[in-house]
PDB file of all heavy atoms in Angstrom:
ATOM      1  N   THR W   1     -12.434   3.505   8.797  1.00  0.00           N
ATOM      2  CA  THR W   1     -12.396   2.481   7.747  1.00  0.00           C
ATOM      3  C   THR W   1     -12.663   3.005   6.340  1.00  0.00           C
ATOM      4  O   THR W   1     -12.448   2.279   5.364  1.00  0.00           O
ATOM      5  CB  THR W   1     -13.455   1.399   8.026  1.00  0.00           C
ATOM      6  OG1 THR W   1     -14.763   1.971   7.918  1.00  0.00           O
ATOM      7  CG2 THR W   1     -13.282   0.808   9.415  1.00  0.00           C
ATOM      8  N   GLU W   2     -13.156   4.229   6.233  1.00  0.00           N
ATOM      9  CA  GLU W   2     -13.597   4.799   4.955  1.00  0.00           C
ATOM     10  C   GLU W   2     -14.718   3.962   4.334  1.00  0.00           C
ATOM     11  O   GLU W   2     -14.860   3.892   3.120  1.00  0.00           O
ATOM     12  CB  GLU W   2     -12.423   4.970   3.977  1.00  0.00           C
ATOM     13  CG  GLU W   2     -11.403   5.990   4.442  1.00  0.00           C
ATOM     14  CD  GLU W   2     -10.348   6.291   3.404  1.00  0.00           C
ATOM     15  OE1 GLU W   2     -10.305   5.577   2.386  1.00  0.00           O
ATOM     16  OE2 GLU W   2      -9.571   7.250   3.601  1.00  0.00           O
ATOM     17  N   LEU W   3     -15.467   3.303   5.180  1.00  0.00           N
ATOM     18  CA  LEU W   3     -16.626   2.522   4.745  1.00  0.00           C
ATOM     19  C   LEU W   3     -17.873   3.016   5.463  1.00  0.00           C
ATOM     20  O   LEU W   3     -17.828   3.296   6.667  1.00  0.00           O
ATOM     21  CB  LEU W   3     -16.434   1.031   5.037  1.00  0.00           C
ATOM     22  CG  LEU W   3     -15.379   0.277   4.216  1.00  0.00           C
ATOM     23  CD1 LEU W   3     -15.187  -1.125   4.791  1.00  0.00           C
ATOM     24  CD2 LEU W   3     -15.790   0.198   2.763  1.00  0.00           C
ATOM     25  N   ARG W   4     -18.964   3.120   4.729  1.00  0.00           N
ATOM     26  CA  ARG W   4     -20.236   3.426   5.352  1.00  0.00           C
ATOM     27  C   ARG W   4     -20.784   2.152   5.997  1.00  0.00           C
ATOM     28  O   ARG W   4     -20.337   1.037   5.694  1.00  0.00           O
ATOM     29  CB  ARG W   4     -21.225   3.962   4.305  1.00  0.00           C
ATOM     30  CG  ARG W   4     -20.823   5.306   3.725  1.00  0.00           C
ATOM     31  CD  ARG W   4     -20.754   6.385   4.786  1.00  0.00           C
ATOM     32  NE  ARG W   4     -20.378   7.680   4.235  1.00  0.00           N
ATOM     33  CZ  ARG W   4     -20.083   8.745   4.965  1.00  0.00           C
ATOM     34  NH1 ARG W   4     -20.112   8.661   6.290  1.00  0.00           N
ATOM     35  NH2 ARG W   4     -19.746   9.882   4.402  1.00  0.00           N
ATOM     36  N   GLN W   5     -21.764   2.325   6.869  1.00  0.00           N
ATOM     37  CA  GLN W   5     -22.222   1.216   7.695  1.00  0.00           C
ATOM     38  C   GLN W   5     -22.653  -0.008   6.893  1.00  0.00           C
ATOM     39  O   GLN W   5     -22.309  -1.150   7.231  1.00  0.00           O
ATOM     40  CB  GLN W   5     -23.337   1.676   8.630  1.00  0.00           C
ATOM     41  CG  GLN W   5     -24.540   2.300   7.986  1.00  0.00           C
ATOM     42  CD  GLN W   5     -24.418   3.801   7.799  1.00  0.00           C
ATOM     43  OE1 GLN W   5     -23.327   4.344   7.734  1.00  0.00           O
ATOM     44  NE2 GLN W   5     -25.536   4.493   7.693  1.00  0.00           N
ATOM     45  N   ARG W   6     -23.423   0.188   5.810  1.00  0.00           N
ATOM     46  CA  ARG W   6     -23.892  -0.940   5.026  1.00  0.00           C
ATOM     47  C   ARG W   6     -22.736  -1.689   4.394  1.00  0.00           C
ATOM     48  O   ARG W   6     -22.609  -2.910   4.496  1.00  0.00           O
ATOM     49  CB  ARG W   6     -24.863  -0.485   3.945  1.00  0.00           C
ATOM     50  CG  ARG W   6     -25.500  -1.631   3.172  1.00  0.00           C
ATOM     51  CD  ARG W   6     -25.904  -1.230   1.765  1.00  0.00           C
ATOM     52  NE  ARG W   6     -24.739  -1.003   0.922  1.00  0.00           N
ATOM     53  CZ  ARG W   6     -24.794  -0.753  -0.378  1.00  0.00           C
ATOM     54  NH1 ARG W   6     -25.962  -0.669  -0.985  1.00  0.00           N
ATOM     55  NH2 ARG W   6     -23.711  -0.564  -1.081  1.00  0.00           N
ATOM     56  N   SER W   7     -21.847  -0.939   3.703  1.00  0.00           N
ATOM     57  CA  SER W   7     -20.716  -1.572   3.032  1.00  0.00           C
ATOM     58  C   SER W   7     -19.750  -2.193   4.031  1.00  0.00           C
ATOM     59  O   SER W   7     -19.118  -3.222   3.747  1.00  0.00           O
ATOM     60  CB  SER W   7     -19.990  -0.569   2.132  1.00  0.00           C
ATOM     61  OG  SER W   7     -19.625   0.594   2.866  1.00  0.00           O
ATOM     62  N   PHE W   8     -19.657  -1.606   5.228  1.00  0.00           N
ATOM     63  CA  PHE W   8     -18.808  -2.173   6.271  1.00  0.00           C
ATOM     64  C   PHE W   8     -19.306  -3.566   6.657  1.00  0.00           C
ATOM     65  O   PHE W   8     -18.523  -4.526   6.756  1.00  0.00           O
ATOM     66  CB  PHE W   8     -18.785  -1.273   7.504  1.00  0.00           C
ATOM     67  CG  PHE W   8     -18.223  -1.954   8.730  1.00  0.00           C
ATOM     68  CD1 PHE W   8     -16.850  -2.081   8.896  1.00  0.00           C
ATOM     69  CD2 PHE W   8     -19.072  -2.487   9.695  1.00  0.00           C
ATOM     70  CE1 PHE W   8     -16.328  -2.735  10.005  1.00  0.00           C
ATOM     71  CE2 PHE W   8     -18.557  -3.137  10.809  1.00  0.00           C
ATOM     72  CZ  PHE W   8     -17.179  -3.262  10.967  1.00  0.00           C
ATOM     73  N   VAL W   9     -20.598  -3.698   6.903  1.00  0.00           N
ATOM     74  CA  VAL W   9     -21.156  -4.981   7.317  1.00  0.00           C
ATOM     75  C   VAL W   9     -20.961  -6.036   6.218  1.00  0.00           C
ATOM     76  O   VAL W   9     -20.545  -7.173   6.489  1.00  0.00           O
ATOM     77  CB  VAL W   9     -22.644  -4.842   7.663  1.00  0.00           C
ATOM     78  CG1 VAL W   9     -23.290  -6.211   7.885  1.00  0.00           C
ATOM     79  CG2 VAL W   9     -22.821  -3.984   8.913  1.00  0.00           C
ATOM     80  N   ILE W  10     -21.250  -5.657   4.981  1.00  0.00           N
ATOM     81  CA  ILE W  10     -21.098  -6.591   3.866  1.00  0.00           C
ATOM     82  C   ILE W  10     -19.646  -7.035   3.736  1.00  0.00           C
ATOM     83  O   ILE W  10     -19.349  -8.230   3.576  1.00  0.00           O
ATOM     84  CB  ILE W  10     -21.588  -5.943   2.548  1.00  0.00           C
ATOM     85  CG1 ILE W  10     -23.101  -5.702   2.628  1.00  0.00           C
ATOM     86  CG2 ILE W  10     -21.246  -6.832   1.352  1.00  0.00           C
ATOM     87  CD1 ILE W  10     -23.646  -4.868   1.480  1.00  0.00           C
ATOM     88  N   ASP W  11     -18.721  -6.078   3.833  1.00  0.00           N
ATOM     89  CA  ASP W  11     -17.298  -6.370   3.714  1.00  0.00           C
ATOM     90  C   ASP W  11     -16.807  -7.213   4.895  1.00  0.00           C
ATOM     91  O   ASP W  11     -16.025  -8.162   4.714  1.00  0.00           O
ATOM     92  CB  ASP W  11     -16.510  -5.066   3.628  1.00  0.00           C
ATOM     93  CG  ASP W  11     -15.019  -5.282   3.472  1.00  0.00           C
ATOM     94  OD1 ASP W  11     -14.615  -5.771   2.395  1.00  0.00           O
ATOM     95  OD2 ASP W  11     -14.268  -4.972   4.408  1.00  0.00           O
ATOM     96  N   TYR W  12     -17.262  -6.883   6.085  1.00  0.00           N
ATOM     97  CA  TYR W  12     -16.809  -7.585   7.295  1.00  0.00           C
ATOM     98  C   TYR W  12     -17.170  -9.065   7.216  1.00  0.00           C
ATOM     99  O   TYR W  12     -16.339  -9.948   7.494  1.00  0.00           O
ATOM    100  CB  TYR W  12     -17.441  -6.947   8.532  1.00  0.00           C
ATOM    101  CG  TYR W  12     -16.830  -7.424   9.834  1.00  0.00           C
ATOM    102  CD1 TYR W  12     -15.670  -6.819  10.332  1.00  0.00           C
ATOM    103  CD2 TYR W  12     -17.397  -8.445  10.564  1.00  0.00           C
ATOM    104  CE1 TYR W  12     -15.102  -7.239  11.523  1.00  0.00           C
ATOM    105  CE2 TYR W  12     -16.837  -8.878  11.758  1.00  0.00           C
ATOM    106  CZ  TYR W  12     -15.685  -8.271  12.227  1.00  0.00           C
ATOM    107  OH  TYR W  12     -15.113  -8.701  13.405  1.00  0.00           O
ATOM    108  N   PHE W  13     -18.408  -9.338   6.835  1.00  0.00           N
ATOM    109  CA  PHE W  13     -18.832 -10.731   6.798  1.00  0.00           C
ATOM    110  C   PHE W  13     -18.297 -11.480   5.585  1.00  0.00           C
ATOM    111  O   PHE W  13     -18.101 -12.702   5.652  1.00  0.00           O
ATOM    112  CB  PHE W  13     -20.357 -10.824   6.901  1.00  0.00           C
ATOM    113  CG  PHE W  13     -20.834 -10.682   8.314  1.00  0.00           C
ATOM    114  CD1 PHE W  13     -21.228  -9.450   8.802  1.00  0.00           C
ATOM    115  CD2 PHE W  13     -20.829 -11.770   9.165  1.00  0.00           C
ATOM    116  CE1 PHE W  13     -21.606  -9.307  10.121  1.00  0.00           C
ATOM    117  CE2 PHE W  13     -21.209 -11.645  10.497  1.00  0.00           C
ATOM    118  CZ  PHE W  13     -21.603 -10.413  10.970  1.00  0.00           C
ATOM    119  N   LYS W  14     -18.006 -10.777   4.527  1.00  0.00           N
ATOM    120  CA  LYS W  14     -17.371 -11.438   3.381  1.00  0.00           C
ATOM    121  C   LYS W  14     -16.004 -11.947   3.794  1.00  0.00           C
ATOM    122  O   LYS W  14     -15.588 -13.055   3.396  1.00  0.00           O
ATOM    123  CB  LYS W  14     -17.247 -10.462   2.206  1.00  0.00           C
ATOM    124  CG  LYS W  14     -16.753 -11.128   0.933  1.00  0.00           C
ATOM    125  CD  LYS W  14     -16.844 -10.194  -0.253  1.00  0.00           C
ATOM    126  CE  LYS W  14     -16.450 -10.932  -1.546  1.00  0.00           C
ATOM    127  NZ  LYS W  14     -16.576 -10.047  -2.739  1.00  0.00           N
ATOM    128  N   LYS W  15     -15.285 -11.179   4.613  1.00  0.00           N
ATOM    129  CA  LYS W  15     -13.978 -11.608   5.091  1.00  0.00           C
ATOM    130  C   LYS W  15     -14.095 -12.763   6.088  1.00  0.00           C
ATOM    131  O   LYS W  15     -13.107 -13.479   6.325  1.00  0.00           O
ATOM    132  CB  LYS W  15     -13.260 -10.425   5.751  1.00  0.00           C
ATOM    133  CG  LYS W  15     -12.834  -9.356   4.749  1.00  0.00           C
ATOM    134  CD  LYS W  15     -12.197  -8.165   5.428  1.00  0.00           C
ATOM    135  CE  LYS W  15     -11.776  -7.117   4.407  1.00  0.00           C
ATOM    136  NZ  LYS W  15     -11.219  -5.898   5.037  1.00  0.00           N
ATOM    137  N   LEU W  16     -15.284 -12.967   6.645  1.00  0.00           N
ATOM    138  CA  LEU W  16     -15.510 -14.111   7.533  1.00  0.00           C
ATOM    139  C   LEU W  16     -16.048 -15.315   6.752  1.00  0.00           C
ATOM    140  O   LEU W  16     -16.338 -16.356   7.335  1.00  0.00           O
ATOM    141  CB  LEU W  16     -16.509 -13.738   8.636  1.00  0.00           C
ATOM    142  CG  LEU W  16     -16.080 -12.682   9.651  1.00  0.00           C
ATOM    143  CD1 LEU W  16     -17.150 -12.512  10.724  1.00  0.00           C
ATOM    144  CD2 LEU W  16     -14.748 -13.024  10.284  1.00  0.00           C
ATOM    145  N   GLY W  17     -16.189 -15.158   5.428  1.00  0.00           N
ATOM    146  CA  GLY W  17     -16.679 -16.264   4.604  1.00  0.00           C
ATOM    147  C   GLY W  17     -18.157 -16.250   4.346  1.00  0.00           C
ATOM    148  O   GLY W  17     -18.718 -17.230   3.845  1.00  0.00           O
ATOM    149  N   ILE W  18     -18.828 -15.123   4.645  1.00  0.00           N
ATOM    150  CA  ILE W  18     -20.271 -15.006   4.436  1.00  0.00           C
ATOM    151  C   ILE W  18     -20.552 -14.023   3.305  1.00  0.00           C
ATOM    152  O   ILE W  18     -20.329 -12.827   3.435  1.00  0.00           O
ATOM    153  CB  ILE W  18     -20.994 -14.535   5.719  1.00  0.00           C
ATOM    154  CG1 ILE W  18     -20.803 -15.540   6.852  1.00  0.00           C
ATOM    155  CG2 ILE W  18     -22.485 -14.319   5.457  1.00  0.00           C
ATOM    156  CD1 ILE W  18     -21.454 -16.881   6.627  1.00  0.00           C
ATOM    157  N   ASN W  19     -21.043 -14.531   2.184  1.00  0.00           N
ATOM    158  CA  ASN W  19     -21.512 -13.666   1.109  1.00  0.00           C
ATOM    159  C   ASN W  19     -22.953 -13.261   1.407  1.00  0.00           C
ATOM    160  O   ASN W  19     -23.696 -13.993   2.075  1.00  0.00           O
ATOM    161  CB  ASN W  19     -21.432 -14.386  -0.235  1.00  0.00           C
ATOM    162  CG  ASN W  19     -20.006 -14.588  -0.682  1.00  0.00           C
ATOM    163  OD1 ASN W  19     -19.213 -13.648  -0.693  1.00  0.00           O
ATOM    164  ND2 ASN W  19     -19.648 -15.819  -1.037  1.00  0.00           N
ATOM    165  N   THR W  20     -23.336 -12.109   0.908  1.00  0.00           N
ATOM    166  CA  THR W  20     -24.673 -11.609   1.187  1.00  0.00           C
ATOM    167  C   THR W  20     -25.496 -11.495  -0.091  1.00  0.00           C
ATOM    168  O   THR W  20     -24.945 -11.428  -1.197  1.00  0.00           O
ATOM    169  CB  THR W  20     -24.622 -10.220   1.865  1.00  0.00           C
ATOM    170  OG1 THR W  20     -23.839  -9.337   1.054  1.00  0.00           O
ATOM    171  CG2 THR W  20     -24.018 -10.325   3.243  1.00  0.00           C
ATOM    172  N   VAL W  21     -26.809 -11.471   0.080  1.00  0.00           N
ATOM    173  CA  VAL W  21     -27.727 -11.322  -1.039  1.00  0.00           C
ATOM    174  C   VAL W  21     -28.728 -10.217  -0.687  1.00  0.00           C
ATOM    175  O   VAL W  21     -29.164 -10.102   0.459  1.00  0.00           O
ATOM    176  CB  VAL W  21     -28.472 -12.650  -1.345  1.00  0.00           C
ATOM    177  CG1 VAL W  21     -29.247 -13.143  -0.140  1.00  0.00           C
ATOM    178  CG2 VAL W  21     -29.372 -12.517  -2.555  1.00  0.00           C
ATOM    179  N   ASN W  22     -29.054  -9.385  -1.669  1.00  0.00           N
ATOM    180  CA  ASN W  22     -29.963  -8.262  -1.473  1.00  0.00           C
ATOM    181  C   ASN W  22     -31.360  -8.684  -1.881  1.00  0.00           C
ATOM    182  O   ASN W  22     -31.619  -8.999  -3.042  1.00  0.00           O
ATOM    183  CB  ASN W  22     -29.500  -7.070  -2.327  1.00  0.00           C
ATOM    184  CG  ASN W  22     -30.311  -5.814  -2.074  1.00  0.00           C
ATOM    185  OD1 ASN W  22     -31.451  -5.874  -1.614  1.00  0.00           O
ATOM    186  ND2 ASN W  22     -29.737  -4.675  -2.408  1.00  0.00           N
ATOM    187  N   LYS W  23     -32.275  -8.715  -0.908  1.00  0.00           N
ATOM    188  CA  LYS W  23     -33.674  -9.021  -1.155  1.00  0.00           C
ATOM    189  C   LYS W  23     -34.515  -7.779  -0.878  1.00  0.00           C
ATOM    190  O   LYS W  23     -34.804  -7.459   0.273  1.00  0.00           O
ATOM    191  CB  LYS W  23     -34.151 -10.182  -0.255  1.00  0.00           C
ATOM    192  CG  LYS W  23     -33.444 -11.510  -0.502  1.00  0.00           C
ATOM    193  CD  LYS W  23     -33.917 -12.156  -1.784  1.00  0.00           C
ATOM    194  CE  LYS W  23     -33.359 -13.570  -1.937  1.00  0.00           C
ATOM    195  NZ  LYS W  23     -33.789 -14.211  -3.190  1.00  0.00           N
ATOM    196  N   ASP W  24     -34.851  -7.051  -1.952  1.00  0.00           N
ATOM    197  CA  ASP W  24     -35.674  -5.842  -1.821  1.00  0.00           C
ATOM    198  C   ASP W  24     -35.080  -4.833  -0.851  1.00  0.00           C
ATOM    199  O   ASP W  24     -35.804  -4.176  -0.094  1.00  0.00           O
ATOM    200  CB  ASP W  24     -37.099  -6.212  -1.403  1.00  0.00           C
ATOM    201  CG  ASP W  24     -37.786  -7.127  -2.391  1.00  0.00           C
ATOM    202  OD1 ASP W  24     -37.594  -6.929  -3.603  1.00  0.00           O
ATOM    203  OD2 ASP W  24     -38.486  -8.063  -1.951  1.00  0.00           O
ATOM    204  N   GLY W  25     -33.764  -4.713  -0.875  1.00  0.00           N
ATOM    205  CA  GLY W  25     -33.110  -3.737  -0.021  1.00  0.00           C
ATOM    206  C   GLY W  25     -32.642  -4.281   1.312  1.00  0.00           C
ATOM    207  O   GLY W  25     -31.930  -3.595   2.054  1.00  0.00           O
ATOM    208  N   TYR W  26     -33.006  -5.511   1.630  1.00  0.00           N
ATOM    209  CA  TYR W  26     -32.596  -6.156   2.875  1.00  0.00           C
ATOM    210  C   TYR W  26     -31.481  -7.150   2.565  1.00  0.00           C
ATOM    211  O   TYR W  26     -31.631  -8.012   1.693  1.00  0.00           O
ATOM    212  CB  TYR W  26     -33.771  -6.877   3.527  1.00  0.00           C
ATOM    213  CG  TYR W  26     -34.945  -5.997   3.866  1.00  0.00           C
ATOM    214  CD1 TYR W  26     -35.960  -5.764   2.933  1.00  0.00           C
ATOM    215  CD2 TYR W  26     -35.045  -5.388   5.105  1.00  0.00           C
ATOM    216  CE1 TYR W  26     -37.038  -4.947   3.230  1.00  0.00           C
ATOM    217  CE2 TYR W  26     -36.126  -4.571   5.429  1.00  0.00           C
ATOM    218  CZ  TYR W  26     -37.115  -4.348   4.483  1.00  0.00           C
ATOM    219  OH  TYR W  26     -38.181  -3.533   4.791  1.00  0.00           O
ATOM    220  N   PHE W  27     -30.371  -7.055   3.287  1.00  0.00           N
ATOM    221  CA  PHE W  27     -29.230  -7.926   3.032  1.00  0.00           C
ATOM    222  C   PHE W  27     -29.239  -9.112   4.002  1.00  0.00           C
ATOM    223  O   PHE W  27     -29.288  -8.924   5.229  1.00  0.00           O
ATOM    224  CB  PHE W  27     -27.918  -7.160   3.154  1.00  0.00           C
ATOM    225  CG  PHE W  27     -27.683  -6.222   2.011  1.00  0.00           C
ATOM    226  CD1 PHE W  27     -28.200  -4.930   2.021  1.00  0.00           C
ATOM    227  CD2 PHE W  27     -26.932  -6.625   0.913  1.00  0.00           C
ATOM    228  CE1 PHE W  27     -27.978  -4.067   0.967  1.00  0.00           C
ATOM    229  CE2 PHE W  27     -26.700  -5.769  -0.152  1.00  0.00           C
ATOM    230  CZ  PHE W  27     -27.231  -4.494  -0.133  1.00  0.00           C
ATOM    231  N   TYR W  28     -29.125 -10.300   3.428  1.00  0.00           N
ATOM    232  CA  TYR W  28     -29.104 -11.536   4.190  1.00  0.00           C
ATOM    233  C   TYR W  28     -27.867 -12.344   3.796  1.00  0.00           C
ATOM    234  O   TYR W  28     -27.280 -12.116   2.719  1.00  0.00           O
ATOM    235  CB  TYR W  28     -30.335 -12.403   3.869  1.00  0.00           C
ATOM    236  CG  TYR W  28     -31.658 -11.781   4.195  1.00  0.00           C
ATOM    237  CD1 TYR W  28     -32.351 -11.029   3.240  1.00  0.00           C
ATOM    238  CD2 TYR W  28     -32.247 -11.948   5.443  1.00  0.00           C
ATOM    239  CE1 TYR W  28     -33.585 -10.457   3.530  1.00  0.00           C
ATOM    240  CE2 TYR W  28     -33.481 -11.383   5.739  1.00  0.00           C
ATOM    241  CZ  TYR W  28     -34.144 -10.639   4.785  1.00  0.00           C
ATOM    242  OH  TYR W  28     -35.358 -10.075   5.074  1.00  0.00           O
ATOM    243  N   PRO W  29     -27.465 -13.316   4.634  1.00  0.00           N
ATOM    244  CA  PRO W  29     -26.435 -14.238   4.161  1.00  0.00           C
ATOM    245  C   PRO W  29     -26.982 -15.017   2.968  1.00  0.00           C
ATOM    246  O   PRO W  29     -28.189 -15.295   2.914  1.00  0.00           O
ATOM    247  CB  PRO W  29     -26.195 -15.143   5.375  1.00  0.00           C
ATOM    248  CG  PRO W  29     -27.452 -15.041   6.191  1.00  0.00           C
ATOM    249  CD  PRO W  29     -27.937 -13.640   5.994  1.00  0.00           C
TER     250      PRO W  29
END
């Protein structure tokens, strides 16, 4: 995918309609 694990997860869920927020380094919906 040419994506690292963190960016992969963020991108995958964005395509499912889930935006994420970074709270002190922890990503949540």
Side-chain angles (χ1 to χ4, degrees):
T1 65
E2 294 188 350
L3 290 172
R4 294 298 180 189
Q5 56 271 24
R6 186 207 70 174
S7 54
F8 165 80
V9 171
I10 294 171
D11 181 69
Y12 191 84
F13 280 95
K14 187 172 185 178
K15 291 176 180 177
L16 295 184
I18 299 294
N19 290 309
T20 54
V21 58
N22 186 338
K23 296 286 188 181
D24 300 321
Y26 301 88
F27 287 86
Y28 299 91

